[in-house]
Amino acid sequence: MDSVEGVLQICRTISTAKETLPETEFKDLRDRWGKGQKIWSKLLQIGLDDRLEAIQEHLPPSYTTIHQVHCLNDEELKEAVDSGALHPGVSQGVLTRWLKEYRFVGTQEAVPTDFSPIATVMGPSGVDPEHLERFKSDLEKLVTTYGFKSQHQEDQSTTALRLRRNKDRSHEMVGTLLKDLKTTWKDAPDNLKTLFNLQSLEDLIHGPMSDFTGFLNRVRGGRDGFWSLHAHDYIHKIALEYLKTDSRGQRFNYRRRLREIAQQHPHLAEKVQNTLEDWLKY
């Protein structure tokens, strides 16, 4: 279970057992394995998916993430591989965010911003904190996949609401950068991606600012090419970092940097002002 080949081999064995053993013997095998029906069910589903063998080199060594890959439809799976979003180092959280952005950005649908309550989840009093955090994590993965969002009882303070609003908007900004930089990433030389230790476009977008600007400067052959072709991307990256941080000092610095850009590059002043008003007002 600590390698992709190991996971797939176990999954193939379980699916073969399902197809060849009588039901009573199959259940006996599952019970003797002793890791629970939930894990067994996920491994069985992976084993029955004949698409995964062909993309083995793109899969991470985690049965839970491989199961998440199994849940993608054919179009989503192809795009995940082609865009580099699916790679051996990808996590469930990153893949979930990519899927949400892919399903909305670049389609006829817009990323939803208007939400209304549809359900209330009641938990037992005195629930174990660790158990509660696992539940929240699983719930977040589920609602994100469907384009929904969750809101917890303790999230009602003004600060918590602002942070959650910024987190939601950061997903929109990531989607914008994914769309705008897709061709640049696809055409960039592999040795440059290796130099910056980038396995996917999402690595570039979520990575340090120095890597983001350094990579794009190298791609375009210097600062002139960077400012000519990626000024808006740089402004969007600053906005993304603003939305991701909960530090008041960092937020001040990001606003100041945008104003510096407007002063140094007057033709970008309107773009900077719109960004400040639309993305950095909280």
Side-chain angles (χ1 to χ4, degrees), residues 235 238 254-262 272 276 280:
I235 292 171
I238 293 173
Y254 289 132
R255 288 195 192 97
R256 182 177 62 184
R257 177 57 186 142
L258 285 180
R259 294 189 180 102
E260 289 173 351
I261 292 172
V272 167
L276 286 167
L280 280 72

Side-chain angles (χ1 to χ4, degrees), residues 7-258:
V7 171
L8 294 183
Q9 184 175 353
I10 290 173
C11 295
R12 286 193 299 266
T13 301
I14 293 175
S15 64
T16 301
K18 175 67 174 176
E19 294 169 352
T20 59
L21 292 178
E23 187 65 21
T24 54
E25 293 184 18
F26 179 73
K27 290 182 178 179
D28 181 57
L29 181 65
R30 179 195 65 198
D31 294 341
R32 286 164 56 194
W33 194 52
K35 294 188 181 293
Q37 294 187 26
K38 183 177 180 179
I39 295 178
W40 181 270
S41 176
K42 287 185 176 181
L43 297 178
L44 173 60
Q45 292 173 46
I46 294 171
L48 294 173
D49 191 336
D50 57 9
R51 304 173 302 168
L52 301 178
E53 292 288 343
I55 60 167
Q56 184 171 331
E57 68 273 16
H58 299 280
L59 298 176
S62 162
Y63 82 88
T64 54
T65 309
I66 294 176
H67 179 263
Q68 190 176 16
V69 174
H70 151 76
C71 293
L72 302 178
N73 63 37
D74 290 346
E75 178 185 338
E76 292 164 348
L77 183 59
K78 183 178 185 305
E79 179 62 23
V81 172
D82 292 346
S83 68
L86 180 59
H87 57 85
V90 73
S91 66
Q92 279 187 280
V94 169
L95 192 58
T96 297
R97 288 196 299 272
W98 173 85
L99 180 60
K100 176 183 177 182
E101 289 146 8
Y102 174 74
R103 285 178 173 174
F104 289 100
V105 176
T107 69
Q108 297 301 312
E109 300 177 83
V111 177
T113 57
D114 184 25
F115 294 86
S116 59
I118 59 172
T120 300
V121 179
M122 310 295 291
S125 59
V127 63
D128 178 72
E130 183 178 347
H131 186 67
L132 179 60
E133 287 306 311
R134 288 201 304 270
F135 168 76
K136 287 182 179 179
S137 177
D138 288 342
L139 180 63
E140 187 70 21
K141 294 170 189 173
L142 177 64
V143 299
T144 301
T145 298
Y146 283 87
F148 295 0
K149 73 173 184 176
S150 60
Q151 182 171 289
H152 302 288
Q153 189 67 34
E154 66 272 23
D155 292 343
Q156 301 306 306
S157 70
T158 301
T159 300
L161 288 173
R162 177 184 59 77
L163 292 175
R164 176 168 288 276
R165 179 171 54 241
N166 283 357
K167 180 181 177 182
D168 292 340
R169 297 219 70 195
S170 74
H171 293 323
E172 296 179 53
M173 186 56 77
V174 168
T176 297
L177 285 166
L178 281 170
K179 180 176 63 177
D180 292 346
L181 289 171
K182 182 176 181 179
T183 301
T184 300
W185 172 261
K186 182 179 179 181
D187 295 340
D190 290 339
N191 63 337
L192 192 57
K193 297 174 183 177
T194 302
L195 177 65
F196 283 88
N197 195 28
L198 300 172
Q199 295 182 317
S200 68
L201 175 55
E202 192 163 57
D203 285 348
L204 175 66
I205 291 170
H206 285 289
M209 182 66 78
S210 58
D211 287 353
F212 183 87
T213 56
F215 178 84
L216 293 177
N217 265 282
R218 292 287 193 94
V219 167
R220 299 306 177 188
R223 292 176 57 84
D224 289 344
F226 171 84
W227 282 107
S228 173
L229 296 171
H230 295 296
H232 285 201
D233 299 321
Y234 180 44
I235 292 171
H236 289 160
K237 171 64 172 173
I238 293 173
L240 173 62
E241 295 304 312
Y242 176 94
L243 293 168
K244 287 165 58 177
T245 187
D246 58 0
S247 166
R248 181 177 298 178
Q250 286 287 2
R251 291 198 298 273
F252 173 82
N253 288 334
Y254 289 132
R255 288 195 192 97
R256 182 177 62 184
R257 177 57 186 142
L258 285 180

